[in-house]
Amino acid sequence: VNREDPRAKALRRAFVFKVVPIINPDGVARGHYRADTQGLNLNRFYDNPDRTRHPTVWAIKELVVWLKSRTELKFFVDLHAHAT
């Protein structure tokens, strides 16, 4: 977002952005976009992540739940990119 753009300035005045850049670095390093090193598709564990088996999903969900409890969460988006 352009630092000088008035729309970007207005957004930054109104909102705090929390960005989680990548939740699967070990899998991506091995060429997998959804599966981690255990072969698990992390997109399937957001309902009930296990702290030990899905630590990144668990941590993100904890953050989202905490922000929501403080009424600080206004919008959530999950973006995916593909190599092809």
Side-chain angles (χ1 to χ4, degrees):
V1 179
N2 184 331
R3 178 179 293 177
E4 300 305 319
D5 187 312
R7 296 167 297 182
K9 289 180 180 182
L11 280 171
R12 287 191 301 270
R13 278 193 301 274
F15 300 100
V16 175
F17 292 85
K18 309 269 190 214
V19 178
V20 179
I22 188 169
I23 69 162
N24 187 22
D26 55 344
V28 171
R30 291 182 169 93
H32 306 291
Y33 296 99
R34 292 188 180 173
D36 64 4
T37 56
Q38 300 174 67
L40 300 173
N41 181 342
L42 296 176
N43 290 327
R44 303 292 175 246
F45 297 98
Y46 277 93
D47 285 340
N48 190 24
D50 181 272
R51 186 176 188 171
T52 303
R53 293 188 70 208
H54 326 109
T56 52
V57 175
W58 181 87
I60 292 167
K61 185 168 182 179
E62 287 292 307
L63 174 63
V64 168
V65 169
W66 180 76
L67 289 169
K68 185 177 179 190
S69 74
R70 297 171 45 112
T71 65
E72 292 183 26
L73 183 65
K74 306 296 183 203
F75 181 75
F76 177 86
V77 64
D78 182 14
L79 301 174
H80 294 265
H82 298 277
T84 57

